[in-house]
Amino acid sequence: MTSRGGVWAVNGVNMPPSSLLRPELWLSRAMSRRVLEPDCPGKRWLVAGLGNPGLPGTRHSVGMAVLGQLARRLGVADSWTRDRRCVADLALAPLGDAQLVLLRPRLLMNVNGRSVAQAAKLFGLTAEEVYLIHDELDKPLGKLALKLGGSARGHNGVRSCISCLNSSAMLRLRVGIGRPVHRSAVEDHVLGCFSPDEQELLPPLLDRATDLLLEHIRARSQGPSAGP
C-alpha cells in the first residue's frame, strides 16, 4: 500500500482517503481486477466445477471436488480470488501456451449458470470454450464421460448454464454418482455425503477425472476445437 498526494494505492488500484475505513474491500477489488491481467499467448478455457457452496462433501458437489483436484495439480490451489462480478472464486492456471480460468461458483446449483455466463463474458469466451464438471446420476460411481452439447438431462445446474449462456455447446465432464433404486430417494442421495466406502473411491476418481480433463484440453489447445 502506497500514498501519492493523499491518494492511496493497493496493488496499483487507487484508493480515495475515505475508503481507508475499509481497506479489505479495496484489496478484494484490486485482486479481482488483477485476475484479468495476465496475457495468454494461446487459447483460454473456462473450467467450472458445479455444486453447492458450503456443501463440498456431497455427491451433488463432486464437480467442485474435481475442480479442487485440478487446481492442486496445476499448483493454484492457494490462488483463489473471490470475484463479486461473477459471484464466484476464480483462479488462473497456465497449461502450456493455454490458460485455464478455474471457476468455483458461490451461487446455489440451480443458478450456477449466472456465475458461468458472467465469467465467460468477462474473459471473452464462447460456450464452446467452456467446460462444465458435474455429477451424473445415470452413471455409477467411478465412471466418467465427456459429452459435447446436448440437453441437461434433468441436471438443474447444467440447465441453468444452458439458459444463461443461451447455448448447449459446452463440453461437459460427467462424474458418475449412481442412481438410487427408488425415485423418492434421489434428492436425499444427491444432496447426501458419500458413504465411507464411496469415500475410499474418491481420490483415484478425482485423479482420473483430472487426467481426462487435462488431456482433452491439451488436445484442443493444439489444434482446431473438436468434440470428445
Side-chain angles (χ1 to χ4, degrees):
M1 184 181 293
T2 59
S3 175
R4 296 178 181 176
V7 177
W8 290 78
V10 176
N11 290 333
V13 179
N14 289 333
M15 297 173 55
S18 60
S19 68
L20 291 177
L21 295 175
R22 298 189 63 188
E24 73 282 356
L25 176 60
W26 275 90
L27 181 59
S28 173
R29 290 178 178 175
M31 293 300 292
S32 180
R33 292 177 187 179
R34 288 186 67 190
V35 80
L36 292 171
E37 288 179 3
D39 293 328
C40 178
K43 294 187 177 181
R44 178 180 273 165
W45 310 97
L46 174 63
V47 184
L50 304 189
N52 283 311
L55 298 173
T58 63
R59 296 181 181 90
H60 213 23
S61 294
V62 72
M64 286 185 169
V66 174
L67 187 73
Q69 180 64 13
L70 178 62
R72 288 188 289 274
R73 183 80 66 86
L74 296 173
V76 296
D78 296 324
S79 301
W80 294 102
T81 299
R82 184 171 184 176
D83 193 291
R84 297 177 184 275
R85 296 161 297 182
C86 301
V87 195
D89 298 323
L90 292 173
L92 298 184
L95 186 66
D97 289 336
Q99 184 183 71
L100 305 189
V101 180
L102 308 187
L103 179 79
R104 188 169 60 192
R106 284 179 169 265
L107 296 171
L108 293 177
M109 176 69 90
N110 291 4
V111 290
N112 269 190
R114 298 178 188 174
S115 294
V116 175
Q118 183 62 23
K121 180 180 178 180
L122 282 173
F123 287 91
L125 301 175
T126 65
E128 290 84 355
E129 296 166 314
V130 174
Y131 283 79
L132 304 179
I133 313 172
H134 64 88
D135 57 300
E136 176 58 61
L137 272 170
D138 292 328
K139 292 190 177 297
L141 181 65
K143 294 295 184 180
L144 302 167
L146 281 169
K147 176 179 174 59
L148 179 62
S151 69
R153 296 174 61 87
H155 194 288
N156 290 331
V158 175
R159 180 181 294 114
S160 174
C161 291
I162 292 174
S163 175
C164 293
L165 287 165
N166 196 30
S167 173
S168 63
M170 299 78 71
L171 201 297
R172 293 158 48 187
L173 176 56
R174 301 155 64 197
V175 183
I177 60 171
R179 180 181 289 275
V181 176
H182 302 291
R183 292 189 61 182
S184 60
V186 167
E187 183 174 351
D188 288 340
H189 176 76
V190 168
L191 297 179
C193 293
F194 289 103
S195 69
D197 288 342
E198 290 174 331
Q199 289 177 15
E200 293 183 5
L201 301 175
L202 283 181
L205 172 61
L206 299 183
D207 277 333
R208 289 192 294 109
T210 300
D211 290 339
L212 181 60
L213 194 59
L214 288 175
E215 180 182 355
H216 194 271
I217 294 175
R218 286 192 181 101
R220 293 183 76 192
S221 298
Q222 293 172 358
S225 297

Coordinates of all heavy atoms in Angstrom, one line a residue, residues 59-151:
R59 N -22.6 -35.5 -2.9 CA -22.4 -36.1 -4.2 C -22.7 -35.0 -5.3 O -22.1 -35.0 -6.3 CB -23.4 -37.2 -4.4 CG -23.1 -38.4 -3.5 CD -24.1 -39.6 -3.7 NE -23.9 -40.7 -2.8 CZ -24.4 -40.8 -1.6 NH1 -25.3 -39.9 -1.2 NH2 -24.1 -41.9 -0.9
H60 N -23.7 -34.1 -5.0 CA -24.0 -33.1 -5.9 C -22.9 -32.1 -6.2 O -22.9 -31.4 -7.2 CB -25.3 -32.3 -5.4 CG -26.2 -31.8 -6.5 ND1 -26.3 -32.4 -7.7 CD2 -27.1 -30.8 -6.4 CE1 -27.2 -31.8 -8.4 NE2 -27.7 -30.8 -7.7
S61 N -21.9 -32.0 -5.2 CA -20.8 -31.1 -5.4 C -19.5 -31.8 -5.8 O -18.5 -31.2 -5.7 CB -20.6 -30.3 -4.1 OG -21.7 -29.5 -3.7
V62 N -19.7 -33.0 -6.4 CA -18.4 -33.7 -6.8 C -17.7 -32.9 -7.9 O -16.5 -33.0 -8.1 CB -18.8 -35.1 -7.2 CG1 -19.5 -35.1 -8.6 CG2 -17.5 -36.0 -7.3
G63 N -18.4 -32.1 -8.7 CA -17.8 -31.3 -9.7 C -16.8 -30.3 -9.1 O -15.7 -30.0 -9.6
M64 N -17.2 -29.7 -7.9 CA -16.3 -28.8 -7.2 C -15.0 -29.6 -6.7 O -13.9 -29.1 -6.6 CB -17.0 -28.1 -6.1 CG -17.9 -27.1 -6.5 SD -18.7 -26.2 -5.1 CE -19.4 -24.8 -6.0
A65 N -15.3 -30.9 -6.3 CA -14.2 -31.7 -5.8 C -13.1 -31.9 -6.9 O -11.9 -31.9 -6.7 CB -14.7 -33.0 -5.2
V66 N -13.6 -32.2 -8.1 CA -12.7 -32.4 -9.3 C -12.0 -31.1 -9.6 O -10.8 -31.1 -9.8 CB -13.5 -32.9 -10.5 CG1 -12.6 -32.9 -11.7 CG2 -14.1 -34.2 -10.3
L67 N -12.7 -30.0 -9.5 CA -12.1 -28.7 -9.8 C -11.0 -28.4 -8.7 O -9.9 -27.9 -9.1 CB -13.1 -27.6 -9.7 CG -12.6 -26.2 -10.1 CD1 -12.4 -26.1 -11.7 CD2 -13.6 -25.1 -9.7
G68 N -11.2 -28.8 -7.5 CA -10.2 -28.6 -6.5 C -9.0 -29.4 -6.7 O -7.8 -29.0 -6.5
Q69 N -9.2 -30.7 -7.2 CA -8.0 -31.5 -7.6 C -7.3 -31.0 -8.8 O -6.0 -31.0 -8.8 CB -8.5 -32.9 -7.9 CG -7.4 -33.9 -8.3 CD -6.4 -34.2 -7.1 OE1 -6.7 -33.8 -6.0 NE2 -5.3 -34.8 -7.5
L70 N -8.0 -30.4 -9.7 CA -7.4 -29.8 -10.9 C -6.5 -28.6 -10.4 O -5.4 -28.4 -10.9 CB -8.5 -29.3 -11.9 CG -8.0 -28.6 -13.1 CD1 -7.1 -29.5 -14.0 CD2 -9.2 -28.1 -13.9
A71 N -7.1 -27.8 -9.5 CA -6.3 -26.6 -9.0 C -5.0 -27.1 -8.3 O -4.0 -26.5 -8.5 CB -7.2 -25.8 -8.1
R72 N -5.1 -28.2 -7.5 CA -3.9 -28.7 -6.9 C -2.9 -29.2 -7.9 O -1.7 -29.0 -7.8 CB -4.3 -29.8 -5.9 CG -5.0 -29.3 -4.6 CD -5.2 -30.4 -3.6 NE -6.2 -31.4 -4.0 CZ -7.5 -31.2 -3.8 NH1 -8.0 -30.2 -3.2 NH2 -8.4 -32.2 -4.2
R73 N -3.4 -29.9 -8.9 CA -2.5 -30.4 -9.9 C -1.7 -29.3 -10.7 O -0.6 -29.5 -11.0 CB -3.3 -31.3 -10.9 CG -2.5 -31.9 -12.0 CD -1.8 -33.2 -11.5 NE -2.8 -34.2 -11.2 CZ -3.3 -35.1 -12.1 NH1 -3.0 -35.0 -13.4 NH2 -4.2 -36.0 -11.7
L74 N -2.4 -28.2 -10.9 CA -1.9 -27.1 -11.6 C -1.1 -26.1 -10.7 O -0.6 -25.1 -11.2 CB -3.0 -26.3 -12.4 CG -3.7 -27.2 -13.5 CD1 -4.8 -26.4 -14.0 CD2 -2.7 -27.5 -14.6
G75 N -1.1 -26.4 -9.4 CA -0.3 -25.5 -8.5 C -1.0 -24.2 -8.1 O -0.3 -23.2 -7.8
V76 N -2.3 -24.1 -8.3 CA -3.0 -22.9 -8.0 C -4.1 -23.0 -6.9 O -5.0 -22.2 -6.7 CB -3.7 -22.3 -9.2 CG1 -2.6 -21.9 -10.2 CG2 -4.7 -23.2 -9.8
A77 N -3.9 -24.1 -6.1 CA -4.9 -24.3 -5.0 C -5.0 -23.2 -4.0 O -6.0 -23.1 -3.3 CB -4.6 -25.7 -4.3
D78 N -3.9 -22.4 -3.8 CA -3.9 -21.3 -2.9 C -4.0 -20.0 -3.6 O -3.8 -19.0 -2.9 CB -2.5 -21.4 -2.1 CG -2.4 -22.6 -1.3 OD1 -3.4 -23.1 -0.7 OD2 -1.2 -23.1 -1.2
S79 N -4.5 -20.0 -4.8 CA -4.6 -18.8 -5.6 C -6.0 -18.3 -5.9 O -6.2 -17.4 -6.7 CB -3.8 -18.9 -6.9 OG -2.5 -19.3 -6.7
W80 N -7.0 -18.9 -5.2 CA -8.4 -18.5 -5.5 C -8.6 -17.0 -5.1 O -8.1 -16.6 -4.0 CB -9.3 -19.4 -4.7 CG -9.3 -20.8 -5.1 CD1 -8.7 -21.9 -4.5 CD2 -10.0 -21.3 -6.3 NE1 -9.0 -23.0 -5.2 CE2 -9.7 -22.7 -6.3 CE3 -10.7 -20.8 -7.3 CZ2 -10.2 -23.6 -7.3 CZ3 -11.2 -21.6 -8.3 CH2 -10.9 -23.0 -8.3
T81 N -9.3 -16.3 -5.9 CA -9.7 -14.9 -5.7 C -11.2 -14.8 -5.8 O -11.8 -15.2 -6.8 CB -9.0 -14.0 -6.7 OG1 -7.6 -14.1 -6.5 CG2 -9.4 -12.5 -6.4
R82 N -11.8 -14.2 -4.8 CA -13.2 -14.0 -4.9 C -13.5 -12.9 -5.8 O -13.0 -11.8 -5.7 CB -13.8 -13.7 -3.5 CG -15.3 -13.6 -3.5 CD -15.9 -13.5 -2.1 NE -17.3 -13.4 -2.1 CZ -18.1 -13.4 -1.0 NH1 -17.5 -13.4 0.2 NH2 -19.4 -13.4 -1.0
D83 N -14.4 -13.1 -6.8 CA -14.8 -12.1 -7.8 C -16.3 -11.8 -7.6 O -17.1 -12.7 -7.9 CB -14.5 -12.6 -9.2 CG -14.6 -11.5 -10.2 OD1 -15.7 -11.0 -10.5 OD2 -13.6 -11.1 -10.7
R84 N -16.6 -10.6 -7.2 CA -18.0 -10.2 -6.9 C -18.8 -10.1 -8.2 O -20.0 -10.3 -8.2 CB -18.1 -8.9 -6.2 CG -17.4 -9.0 -4.8 CD -17.4 -7.7 -4.1 NE -16.7 -7.7 -2.8 CZ -17.2 -8.2 -1.7 NH1 -18.5 -8.5 -1.7 NH2 -16.5 -8.2 -0.6
R85 N -18.2 -9.9 -9.3 CA -18.9 -9.7 -10.6 C -19.5 -11.1 -11.0 O -20.6 -11.2 -11.5 CB -18.0 -9.2 -11.7 CG -17.5 -7.8 -11.4 CD -16.3 -7.5 -12.2 NE -15.1 -8.3 -11.9 CZ -13.9 -8.2 -12.5 NH1 -13.7 -7.3 -13.4 NH2 -13.0 -9.0 -12.1
C86 N -18.7 -12.1 -10.8 CA -19.2 -13.5 -11.1 C -19.9 -14.2 -10.0 O -20.4 -15.3 -10.2 CB -18.0 -14.3 -11.6 SG -17.0 -13.7 -12.9
V87 N -19.8 -13.6 -8.8 CA -20.3 -14.3 -7.6 C -19.6 -15.7 -7.6 O -20.3 -16.7 -7.5 CB -21.8 -14.4 -7.5 CG1 -22.2 -14.8 -6.1 CG2 -22.5 -13.1 -8.0
A88 N -18.3 -15.7 -7.6 CA -17.6 -16.9 -7.7 C -16.1 -16.7 -7.2 O -15.7 -15.6 -7.1 CB -17.6 -17.5 -9.1
D89 N -15.4 -17.8 -7.0 CA -14.0 -17.8 -6.8 C -13.3 -18.2 -8.1 O -13.7 -19.1 -8.8 CB -13.6 -18.8 -5.7 CG -14.2 -18.6 -4.4 OD1 -14.3 -17.4 -4.0 OD2 -14.6 -19.5 -3.7
L90 N -12.3 -17.4 -8.4 CA -11.5 -17.6 -9.7 C -10.1 -17.9 -9.4 O -9.5 -17.4 -8.5 CB -11.6 -16.3 -10.6 CG -13.0 -15.9 -11.2 CD1 -12.8 -14.6 -11.8 CD2 -13.4 -17.0 -12.1
A91 N -9.5 -18.7 -10.3 CA -8.0 -18.9 -10.3 C -7.6 -19.1 -11.7 O -8.2 -19.8 -12.5 CB -7.7 -20.1 -9.4
L92 N -6.4 -18.5 -12.1 CA -5.9 -18.7 -13.4 C -4.7 -19.6 -13.3 O -3.9 -19.6 -12.4 CB -5.4 -17.3 -13.9 CG -6.4 -16.2 -14.1 CD1 -5.7 -15.0 -14.8 CD2 -7.6 -16.7 -15.0
A93 N -4.6 -20.5 -14.3 CA -3.6 -21.5 -14.3 C -3.0 -21.7 -15.7 O -3.8 -21.9 -16.7 CB -4.1 -22.9 -13.8
P94 N -1.7 -21.6 -15.9 CA -1.2 -21.9 -17.3 C -1.2 -23.4 -17.6 O -1.0 -24.2 -16.7 CB 0.3 -21.4 -17.2 CG 0.6 -21.5 -15.7 CD -0.7 -21.3 -15.0
L95 N -1.4 -23.7 -18.8 CA -1.3 -25.1 -19.3 C -0.6 -25.0 -20.7 O -1.3 -24.9 -21.7 CB -2.7 -25.7 -19.4 CG -2.7 -27.2 -19.8 CD1 -2.1 -28.0 -18.6 CD2 -4.1 -27.7 -20.1
G96 N 0.7 -25.1 -20.7 CA 1.5 -24.9 -21.9 C 1.3 -23.5 -22.3 O 1.4 -22.5 -21.5
D97 N 0.9 -23.2 -23.6 CA 0.6 -21.9 -24.1 C -0.8 -21.4 -23.8 O -1.1 -20.3 -24.0 CB 0.8 -21.8 -25.6 CG 2.3 -21.9 -26.0 OD1 3.2 -21.6 -25.1 OD2 2.6 -22.3 -27.1
A98 N -1.6 -22.4 -23.3 CA -3.0 -22.0 -23.0 C -3.1 -21.6 -21.6 O -2.2 -21.6 -20.8 CB -3.9 -23.3 -23.2
Q99 N -4.3 -21.1 -21.2 CA -4.6 -20.6 -19.9 C -6.0 -21.1 -19.5 O -6.9 -21.1 -20.3 CB -4.6 -19.1 -19.8 CG -4.8 -18.6 -18.4 CD -4.8 -17.1 -18.4 OE1 -5.8 -16.4 -18.8 NE2 -3.8 -16.4 -17.8
L100 N -6.1 -21.7 -18.3 CA -7.3 -22.1 -17.7 C -7.9 -21.1 -16.7 O -7.1 -20.7 -15.8 CB -7.2 -23.5 -17.1 CG -6.6 -24.6 -17.9 CD1 -6.7 -26.0 -17.1 CD2 -7.2 -24.7 -19.3
V101 N -9.1 -20.8 -16.9 CA -9.8 -20.0 -15.9 C -10.7 -20.9 -15.0 O -11.6 -21.5 -15.5 CB -10.7 -18.9 -16.5 CG1 -11.4 -18.1 -15.5 CG2 -9.9 -18.0 -17.5
L102 N -10.2 -21.2 -13.8 CA -11.0 -22.1 -13.0 C -12.0 -21.3 -12.2 O -11.8 -20.3 -11.6 CB -10.0 -22.8 -12.0 CG -8.8 -23.5 -12.6 CD1 -8.1 -24.2 -11.5 CD2 -9.2 -24.4 -13.7
L103 N -13.3 -21.8 -12.2 CA -14.4 -21.1 -11.7 C -15.1 -22.0 -10.6 O -15.5 -23.1 -11.0 CB -15.4 -20.7 -12.8 CG -16.6 -20.0 -12.3 CD1 -16.3 -18.5 -12.0 CD2 -17.8 -20.1 -13.3
R104 N -15.3 -21.4 -9.4 CA -16.0 -22.1 -8.4 C -17.2 -21.2 -7.9 O -17.0 -20.3 -7.2 CB -15.0 -22.4 -7.2 CG -15.6 -23.2 -6.1 CD -14.5 -23.6 -5.1 NE -13.8 -22.5 -4.5 CZ -12.7 -22.5 -3.8 NH1 -12.0 -23.6 -3.7 NH2 -12.2 -21.4 -3.3
P105 N -18.4 -21.5 -8.5 CA -19.5 -20.6 -8.2 C -19.8 -20.5 -6.7 O -19.7 -21.5 -6.0 CB -20.6 -21.2 -9.0 CG -20.0 -22.0 -10.1 CD -18.7 -22.5 -9.5
R106 N -20.3 -19.3 -6.3 CA -20.7 -19.1 -4.9 C -22.3 -19.1 -4.9 O -22.8 -18.7 -3.9 CB -20.1 -17.8 -4.3 CG -18.7 -18.0 -3.9 CD -18.1 -16.7 -3.4 NE -16.8 -16.9 -2.8 CZ -16.6 -17.1 -1.5 NH1 -17.7 -17.2 -0.7 NH2 -15.4 -17.3 -1.0
L107 N -22.9 -19.4 -6.0 CA -24.3 -19.5 -6.0 C -24.8 -20.9 -5.9 O -24.0 -21.9 -6.2 CB -24.8 -18.9 -7.4 CG -24.6 -17.4 -7.6 CD1 -24.9 -17.1 -9.1 CD2 -25.3 -16.6 -6.7
L108 N -26.1 -21.1 -5.5 CA -26.6 -22.5 -5.4 C -26.6 -23.1 -6.8 O -26.7 -22.5 -7.8 CB -28.0 -22.4 -4.8 CG -28.1 -22.0 -3.4 CD1 -29.5 -21.9 -2.9 CD2 -27.3 -22.9 -2.5
M109 N -26.6 -24.5 -6.8 CA -26.5 -25.2 -8.0 C -27.5 -24.8 -9.1 O -27.2 -24.6 -10.3 CB -26.7 -26.7 -7.7 CG -26.8 -27.6 -8.9 SD -25.2 -27.8 -9.8 CE -24.5 -29.2 -8.9
N110 N -28.8 -24.5 -8.6 CA -29.8 -24.2 -9.6 C -29.6 -22.9 -10.4 O -30.3 -22.7 -11.4 CB -31.2 -24.2 -8.9 CG -31.7 -25.5 -8.4 OD1 -30.9 -26.5 -8.5 ND2 -32.8 -25.6 -7.8
V111 N -28.7 -22.1 -9.9 CA -28.4 -20.8 -10.5 C -26.9 -20.6 -10.8 O -26.5 -19.5 -11.0 CB -29.0 -19.6 -9.8 CG1 -30.5 -19.6 -9.8 CG2 -28.5 -19.6 -8.3
N112 N -26.2 -21.7 -10.8 CA -24.8 -21.7 -11.1 C -24.5 -21.0 -12.4 O -23.4 -20.4 -12.6 CB -24.2 -23.1 -11.2 CG -23.7 -23.6 -9.8 OD1 -23.0 -24.6 -9.8 ND2 -23.9 -22.9 -8.7
G113 N -25.4 -21.2 -13.4 CA -25.2 -20.6 -14.7 C -24.9 -19.1 -14.8 O -24.3 -18.6 -15.7
R114 N -25.5 -18.4 -13.8 CA -25.2 -17.0 -13.7 C -23.7 -16.7 -13.6 O -23.2 -15.8 -14.2 CB -26.0 -16.3 -12.6 CG -27.5 -16.5 -12.7 CD -28.2 -15.8 -11.5 NE -29.6 -16.1 -11.5 CZ -30.4 -15.8 -10.5 NH1 -29.9 -15.2 -9.4 NH2 -31.7 -16.1 -10.5
S115 N -23.1 -17.4 -12.7 CA -21.6 -17.2 -12.5 C -20.9 -17.6 -13.7 O -19.9 -16.9 -14.1 CB -21.2 -18.1 -11.3 OG -21.7 -17.6 -10.1
V116 N -21.2 -18.8 -14.3 CA -20.5 -19.3 -15.5 C -20.7 -18.3 -16.7 O -19.7 -17.9 -17.3 CB -21.1 -20.7 -15.9 CG1 -20.4 -21.1 -17.2 CG2 -20.8 -21.7 -14.8
A117 N -21.9 -17.8 -16.9 CA -22.1 -16.9 -18.0 C -21.4 -15.5 -17.8 O -20.8 -15.0 -18.8 CB -23.6 -16.6 -18.2
Q118 N -21.4 -15.0 -16.6 CA -20.7 -13.8 -16.3 C -19.2 -13.9 -16.5 O -18.5 -13.0 -17.0 CB -21.0 -13.3 -14.9 CG -20.4 -11.9 -14.6 CD -20.9 -10.8 -15.5 OE1 -22.0 -10.9 -16.0 NE2 -20.1 -9.7 -15.6
A119 N -18.6 -15.0 -16.0 CA -17.2 -15.3 -16.2 C -16.8 -15.4 -17.7 O -15.8 -14.9 -18.1 CB -16.7 -16.5 -15.5
A120 N -17.7 -16.1 -18.4 CA -17.4 -16.2 -19.9 C -17.4 -14.9 -20.5 O -16.6 -14.6 -21.4 CB -18.5 -17.1 -20.5
K121 N -18.3 -14.0 -20.1 CA -18.4 -12.6 -20.7 C -17.2 -11.8 -20.3 O -16.6 -11.2 -21.2 CB -19.7 -12.0 -20.2 CG -19.8 -10.5 -20.7 CD -21.1 -9.9 -20.1 CE -21.3 -8.5 -20.6 NZ -22.5 -7.9 -20.0
L122 N -16.7 -11.9 -19.1 CA -15.6 -11.2 -18.6 C -14.3 -11.5 -19.4 O -13.5 -10.7 -19.7 CB -15.3 -11.4 -17.1 CG -16.2 -10.6 -16.2 CD1 -16.0 -11.1 -14.7 CD2 -16.0 -9.1 -16.3
F123 N -14.2 -12.8 -19.7 CA -12.9 -13.3 -20.3 C -13.1 -13.4 -21.9 O -12.2 -13.9 -22.5 CB -12.5 -14.6 -19.7 CG -11.9 -14.5 -18.4 CD1 -12.7 -14.6 -17.3 CD2 -10.5 -14.3 -18.2 CE1 -12.2 -14.5 -16.0 CE2 -10.0 -14.2 -16.9 CZ -10.8 -14.3 -15.8
G124 N -14.3 -13.0 -22.4 CA -14.5 -13.0 -23.8 C -14.5 -14.4 -24.4 O -14.0 -14.6 -25.5
L125 N -15.1 -15.3 -23.7 CA -15.2 -16.7 -24.1 C -16.6 -17.1 -24.6 O -17.6 -16.6 -24.1 CB -14.8 -17.7 -23.0 CG -13.4 -17.4 -22.4 CD1 -13.1 -18.3 -21.2 CD2 -12.3 -17.7 -23.5
T126 N -16.6 -18.0 -25.6 CA -17.9 -18.5 -26.1 C -18.3 -19.8 -25.3 O -17.5 -20.4 -24.6 CB -17.8 -18.9 -27.6 OG1 -16.9 -19.9 -27.7 CG2 -17.3 -17.6 -28.4
A127 N -19.5 -20.3 -25.5 CA -19.9 -21.5 -24.9 C -19.0 -22.7 -25.2 O -18.8 -23.6 -24.4 CB -21.4 -21.8 -25.2
E128 N -18.5 -22.7 -26.5 CA -17.7 -23.8 -26.9 C -16.3 -23.8 -26.2 O -15.6 -24.8 -26.2 CB -17.4 -23.6 -28.4 CG -18.6 -23.9 -29.3 CD -19.5 -22.7 -29.5 OE1 -19.2 -21.7 -28.8 OE2 -20.4 -22.8 -30.3
E129 N -16.0 -22.7 -25.5 CA -14.7 -22.6 -24.8 C -14.9 -22.8 -23.3 O -14.1 -22.5 -22.4 CB -14.1 -21.3 -25.0 CG -13.7 -21.1 -26.5 CD -13.3 -19.7 -26.9 OE1 -14.1 -18.8 -26.5 OE2 -12.3 -19.5 -27.5
V130 N -16.1 -23.4 -22.9 CA -16.5 -23.6 -21.5 C -16.5 -25.1 -21.2 O -17.1 -25.8 -22.0 CB -17.8 -22.9 -21.2 CG1 -18.2 -23.3 -19.7 CG2 -17.7 -21.4 -21.3
Y131 N -15.9 -25.5 -20.1 CA -16.0 -26.9 -19.6 C -16.9 -26.9 -18.3 O -16.6 -26.0 -17.4 CB -14.7 -27.5 -19.3 CG -13.9 -27.9 -20.5 CD1 -13.2 -27.0 -21.3 CD2 -13.8 -29.3 -20.8 CE1 -12.4 -27.4 -22.4 CE2 -13.0 -29.7 -21.9 CZ -12.4 -28.8 -22.7 OH -11.6 -29.2 -23.8
L132 N -17.8 -27.7 -18.2 CA -18.6 -27.9 -17.0 C -18.3 -29.3 -16.4 O -18.2 -30.3 -17.1 CB -20.1 -27.9 -17.3 CG -20.7 -26.6 -18.0 CD1 -22.2 -26.8 -18.2 CD2 -20.4 -25.4 -17.2
I133 N -18.0 -29.3 -15.1 CA -17.8 -30.6 -14.4 C -18.9 -30.7 -13.4 O -19.2 -29.9 -12.6 CB -16.5 -30.5 -13.6 CG1 -15.3 -30.0 -14.4 CG2 -16.1 -31.9 -13.1 CD1 -14.0 -29.7 -13.6
H134 N -19.6 -31.9 -13.6 CA -20.8 -32.0 -12.7 C -21.1 -33.5 -12.4 O -20.6 -34.4 -13.1 CB -22.1 -31.4 -13.4 CG -22.5 -32.0 -14.7 ND1 -23.3 -33.1 -14.8 CD2 -22.1 -31.7 -16.0 CE1 -23.5 -33.4 -16.0 NE2 -22.8 -32.6 -16.8
D135 N -21.9 -33.7 -11.5 CA -22.3 -35.1 -11.1 C -23.3 -35.7 -12.1 O -24.0 -34.9 -12.8 CB -23.0 -35.1 -9.7 CG -24.2 -34.1 -9.6 OD1 -24.0 -32.9 -9.8 OD2 -25.3 -34.6 -9.3
E136 N -23.4 -37.0 -12.2 CA -24.2 -37.7 -13.2 C -24.9 -38.9 -12.5 O -24.2 -39.8 -12.2 CB -23.4 -38.1 -14.4 CG -24.2 -38.9 -15.4 CD -25.4 -38.1 -15.9 OE1 -25.2 -37.0 -16.5 OE2 -26.5 -38.6 -15.8
L137 N -26.2 -38.8 -12.3 CA -27.0 -39.8 -11.7 C -27.0 -41.1 -12.5 O -27.0 -42.2 -11.9 CB -28.4 -39.4 -11.5 CG -28.8 -38.6 -10.2 CD1 -30.2 -38.1 -10.3 CD2 -28.7 -39.6 -9.0
D138 N -27.0 -41.0 -13.8 CA -27.2 -42.2 -14.7 C -25.9 -42.9 -14.9 O -25.8 -43.8 -15.8 CB -27.8 -41.8 -16.0 CG -29.2 -41.3 -15.8 OD1 -29.9 -41.9 -14.9 OD2 -29.7 -40.4 -16.5
K139 N -24.8 -42.6 -14.2 CA -23.6 -43.4 -14.3 C -23.1 -43.8 -12.9 O -23.3 -43.0 -11.9 CB -22.5 -42.5 -14.9 CG -22.7 -42.3 -16.4 CD -21.5 -41.7 -17.1 CE -21.8 -41.5 -18.6 NZ -22.0 -42.8 -19.2
P140 N -22.7 -45.0 -12.7 CA -22.3 -45.5 -11.4 C -21.0 -44.7 -10.9 O -20.3 -44.1 -11.7 CB -22.0 -46.9 -11.6 CG -21.6 -47.1 -13.1 CD -22.5 -46.0 -13.8
L141 N -20.9 -44.7 -9.6 CA -19.7 -44.0 -9.0 C -18.4 -44.6 -9.6 O -18.3 -45.8 -9.7 CB -19.7 -44.2 -7.5 CG -18.5 -43.5 -6.8 CD1 -18.6 -42.0 -6.9 CD2 -18.5 -43.9 -5.3
G142 N -17.5 -43.8 -10.1 CA -16.3 -44.2 -10.7 C -16.2 -44.1 -12.2 O -15.2 -44.2 -12.8
K143 N -17.4 -43.9 -12.8 CA -17.5 -43.8 -14.2 C -17.4 -42.3 -14.6 O -18.0 -41.5 -14.0 CB -18.8 -44.4 -14.8 CG -18.8 -45.9 -14.6 CD -17.8 -46.7 -15.4 CE -17.9 -48.2 -15.3 NZ -16.8 -48.9 -16.0
L144 N -16.7 -42.1 -15.7 CA -16.5 -40.7 -16.2 C -16.9 -40.7 -17.7 O -16.7 -41.7 -18.4 CB -15.1 -40.2 -16.1 CG -14.5 -40.2 -14.7 CD1 -13.0 -40.0 -14.7 CD2 -15.1 -39.1 -13.8
A145 N -17.4 -39.5 -18.2 CA -17.7 -39.4 -19.6 C -17.6 -37.9 -20.0 O -18.0 -37.0 -19.2 CB -19.1 -39.9 -19.9
L146 N -17.0 -37.7 -21.1 CA -17.0 -36.3 -21.7 C -18.2 -36.2 -22.7 O -18.3 -37.1 -23.5 CB -15.7 -36.0 -22.4 CG -14.5 -35.6 -21.5 CD1 -13.2 -35.7 -22.3 CD2 -14.8 -34.3 -20.9
K147 N -18.9 -35.2 -22.6 CA -20.1 -35.0 -23.5 C -20.1 -33.6 -24.1 O -19.9 -32.6 -23.3 CB -21.4 -35.3 -22.8 CG -22.6 -35.0 -23.6 CD -23.9 -35.4 -22.8 CE -25.2 -35.0 -23.5 NZ -25.3 -35.7 -24.8
L148 N -20.2 -33.5 -25.4 CA -20.3 -32.2 -26.0 C -21.7 -31.8 -26.3 O -22.4 -32.6 -27.1 CB -19.5 -32.2 -27.3 CG -19.5 -30.9 -28.1 CD1 -18.8 -29.8 -27.3 CD2 -18.7 -31.1 -29.4
G149 N -22.2 -30.8 -25.7 CA -23.6 -30.3 -26.0 C -24.6 -31.3 -25.5 O -24.4 -32.1 -24.6
G150 N -25.8 -31.1 -26.0 CA -26.9 -32.0 -25.6 C -27.8 -31.3 -24.5 O -27.5 -30.2 -24.1
S151 N -28.8 -32.0 -24.1 CA -29.7 -31.5 -23.1 C -29.1 -31.6 -21.7 O -28.1 -32.2 -21.5 CB -31.1 -32.2 -23.2 OG -30.9 -33.5 -22.7

